[in-house]
Amino acid sequence: MQVTALGDSALIVRVRDRFDDAPDDTLSEVLAALRRLENAQIPGVIELAPAYTTVAVFFDPLRAIHDGAGPDGVIELLIQRIGEALAGRRRQHKHAAHTAEIPVCYDLEFASDLERVARHAQISPGEVIDLHRAAQYRVNCIGFTPGFPYLTGLPKRLATPRHAIPRKEIPAGSVAIGGAQTGIYPQESPGGWNVIGRTPLRLFDPQRDPPVLLQTGDQVRFRKITREEFQALQP
């Protein structure tokens, strides 16, 4: 475990050095570290953010000082308490992941890059759809925009490079492929991923608790729906 400063109010806890070698095991270990840090309730810590191989620990220096840290010893005290919280983390058992089914309409009006992905994979658009919806995915982190899930588990044949020039507007709900990952755009935003469908579900709603539909560690499957089903499921 390595803990390094990220500015003056955050730390990065590096749980593993690499992700690609063993993505499932790495994510499980990151989530185990996240749970231990949450349970530790370290004074001064205001937010924890898991990523591929790390957990970011955001803290309020004034709260840490109020808890007894010297003005020049905040980071040292937090590193000590993080180390205590994570001691023996590798022995923690895996928790059952939540599984979410995401309905997707793959009609061409929602799939501006479906044919591009098919050409790159040298298969038909229908085969792209079948491969994409048959796979099981896992949310490895949330980022880019609120609620955007980065999903691993994409069949290798569907891996497609991002667009060299991103589009200025990708519609909310767009399901897309970027390199070896797939993801879903929660809001209309710029983006360079290859759009192959759209879901009517809202991935981010600030009025909902929690506001994000998917969370790190969730299992995800895609279900193909018709245009009529898409309209019926829209909020």
Side-chain angles (χ1 to χ4, degrees), residues 67 83 107 162 207 217:
D67 187 53
D107 287 7
R162 297 169 174 82
Q207 304 304 317

Side-chain angles (χ1 to χ4, degrees), residues 73-222:
V74 171
I75 289 179
E76 289 75 10
L77 178 61
L78 287 171
I79 289 176
Q80 176 188 334
R81 294 192 173 178
I82 288 170
E84 293 168 353
L86 296 183
R89 72 186 189 283
R90 293 180 185 274
R91 297 192 296 270
Q92 183 157 327
H93 298 295
K94 293 182 180 179
H95 286 218
H98 170 257
T99 299
E101 183 181 78
I102 306 296
V104 181
C105 182
Y106 294 94
D107 287 7
L108 287 179
E109 67 173 300
F110 297 143
S112 55
D113 297 309
L114 180 59
E115 293 182 347
R116 181 175 189 262
V117 173
R119 286 194 302 271
H120 187 268
Q122 298 183 336
I123 57 179
S124 70
E127 289 175 301
V128 171
I129 294 169
D130 289 342
L131 285 171
H132 186 263
R133 67 186 179 89
Q136 181 161 307
Y137 303 89
R138 199 173 185 195
V139 181
N140 279 276
C141 63
I142 301 291
F144 171 53
T145 60
F148 186 104
Y150 288 86
L151 306 174
T152 53
L154 182 74
K156 291 182 179 180
R157 196 166 187 181
L158 298 184
T160 307
R162 297 169 174 82
H163 288 277
I165 301 177
R167 295 187 177 99
K168 294 181 179 179
E169 295 180 357
I170 301 292
S174 291
V175 177
I177 291 172
Q181 298 181 98
T182 193
I184 309 169
Y185 287 81
Q187 306 92 19
E188 181 180 287
S189 66
W193 290 31
N194 300 279
V195 177
I196 63 168
R198 192 179 303 174
T199 179
L201 302 184
R202 294 186 65 180
L203 270 73
F204 178 76
D205 182 352
Q207 304 304 317
R208 192 168 56 202
D209 184 19
V212 293
L213 181 65
L214 300 174
Q215 299 191 39
T216 301
D218 285 353
Q219 303 280 356
V220 174
R221 296 194 71 94
F222 292 109

Side-chain angles (χ1 to χ4, degrees), residues 16-30 52-53 94 138 140 152:
R16 282 201 179 190
D17 289 329
R18 294 179 59 82
F19 173 80
D20 295 338
D21 294 348
D24 239 24
D25 289 343
T26 300
L27 177 56
S28 294
E29 193 166 345
V30 167
Y52 290 98
T53 60
K94 293 182 180 179
R138 199 173 185 195
N140 279 276
T152 53

Side-chain angles (χ1 to χ4, degrees), residues 33-76:
L34 174 68
R35 286 190 291 268
R36 283 183 176 269
L37 290 170
E38 288 172 338
N39 293 337
Q41 297 184 335
I42 299 172
V45 172
I46 56 177
E47 186 176 359
L48 300 168
Y52 290 98
T53 60
T54 62
V55 179
V57 180
F58 296 90
F59 61 89
D60 181 344
L62 293 179
R63 291 191 196 177
I65 291 171
H66 184 268
D67 187 53
D72 297 325
V74 171
I75 289 179
E76 289 75 10

